[in-house]
Amino acid sequence: MTSYKVVGIGNAIVDVISQCDDGFLSRMGIEKGVMQLVEQDRGEFLYAQMENRWQAPGGSVANTIAGLGSLGLATGFIGRVHDDDLGRFYASEMKNGGTDFVNPPVEGGELPTSRSMIFVSPDGERSMNTYLGISAELGPEDVDARVAGQAEILFLEGYLYDKPKGKAAFEAAARACRAGGGKAGIALSDPFCVDRHREDFRKLVRELDYVIGNQHEWEALYQTDLSTALEQAAADSGLVVCTRSGHDVVLVRGAEEAVVPVDEIVPVDATGAGDQFAAGFLYGLATGASLEVSGRMGCIAAAEVISHYGARPERDVMALFREAGLA
């Protein structure tokens, strides 16, 4: 059994990406800049409307884990794909990127592999239309306690709470990790996800070792302004991280606080910015870096991914860390 530095659990989704203008979004009835869940028929319709599309393995936490794998850490991902073309593509591409996809593709007549149609507008904003497919059927039976139990760090995707089976899988993995002496944490995923599961997420903030969210997610969680929300979160959680879309990143662990400045960059494609921030931050956490250095690593990784299309790094992020004197 492989021992992993970091293991993620979340939705295994193939990202299908295409450029468009705001007029196209309006004609298609797509809300700009947010993730919308769609049914299979709607997904197939939008897929047919995409021009010059390309595909890559995705899913928020999967993107983070892939970023960590590319930085050289031993990483695994717990997710669910069908034994179809997209599912085999997903598992193969994760492995090629340095991350073990620990669950074999599911054979039989279940739902197809999940996919997200991502439309990128000229300002770099991405509008995601996600058909969850088989990934939403992830359950506790998909969690190998030996994998989660040997992880030094476990990273969990808030979207899993949208189904009872996903919630049970999430909690099984967290229990196994912490019983094995590891640290478990969560990404809040998006404000709408927070609204759906506010009480559960507040409980997780108190119970887990770290929580990562952006300004809108923290404000939604505590239903107040950011300053008050972070004060409450810091009192509840072992480690709180807040990103703010081009503004300073705030990290709080007990009495320790770090505020990391961010260089404003006009994004080519904002897809994956939060995911790769988490990868850089978790790399710092996994290697014993300070809060400030971990936050700076997160900012460097996020800046790299928004400089090109797609949700995963293209440049050598470790080399960027070295250029900044962080590694």
Side-chain angles (χ1 to χ4, degrees), residues 216-238:
H216 304 299
E217 291 157 3
W218 284 115
E219 289 174 342
L221 185 62
Y222 290 102
Q223 297 177 288
T224 186
D225 63 273
L226 182 63
S227 177
T228 305
L230 290 183
E231 285 181 11
Q232 182 62 54
D236 287 347
S237 178

Side-chain angles (χ1 to χ4, degrees), residues 84-247:
D84 53 20
D85 287 344
L86 282 180
R88 291 188 291 272
F89 164 81
Y90 192 100
S92 174
E93 286 296 297
M94 288 292 284
K95 182 67 174 177
N96 291 341
T99 291
D100 286 346
F101 189 78
V102 300
N103 303 77
V106 177
E107 298 179 355
E110 290 200 46
L111 296 168
T113 296
S114 310
R115 72 286 312 266
S116 181
M117 281 61 67
I118 302 174
F119 297 93
V120 183
S121 44
D123 59 1
E125 195 63 74
R126 83 276 195 217
S127 306
M128 298 183 289
N129 299 263
T130 302
Y131 167 60
L132 287 178
I134 196 173
S135 71
E137 298 304 307
L138 184 78
E141 68 277 9
D142 297 304
V143 176
D144 188 330
R146 295 171 299 171
V147 172
Q150 294 191 56
E152 293 185 27
I153 294 175
L154 183 71
F155 190 38
L156 307 158
E157 185 170 307
Y159 287 127
L160 287 183
Y161 260 64
D162 280 335
K163 280 204 171 183
K165 288 175 65 175
K167 178 180 178 180
F170 179 114
E171 292 175 346
R175 282 195 303 271
C177 174
R178 301 188 83 196
K183 292 182 170 63
I186 183 175
L188 293 177
S189 293
D190 77 22
F192 303 108
C193 185
V194 171
D195 287 340
R196 292 191 295 271
H197 307 292
R198 184 173 290 108
E199 292 309 312
D200 278 331
F201 282 3
R202 285 187 179 179
K203 183 170 180 281
L204 288 171
V205 170
R206 294 190 295 272
E207 294 179 349
L208 297 181
D209 299 291
Y210 64 92
V211 182
I212 302 173
N214 64 31
Q215 175 177 351
H216 304 299
E217 291 157 3
W218 284 115
E219 289 174 342
L221 185 62
Y222 290 102
Q223 297 177 288
T224 186
D225 63 273
L226 182 63
S227 177
T228 305
L230 290 183
E231 285 181 11
Q232 182 62 54
D236 287 347
S237 178
L239 172 55
V240 169
V241 182
C242 177
T243 60
R244 298 191 295 158
S245 298
H247 300 286

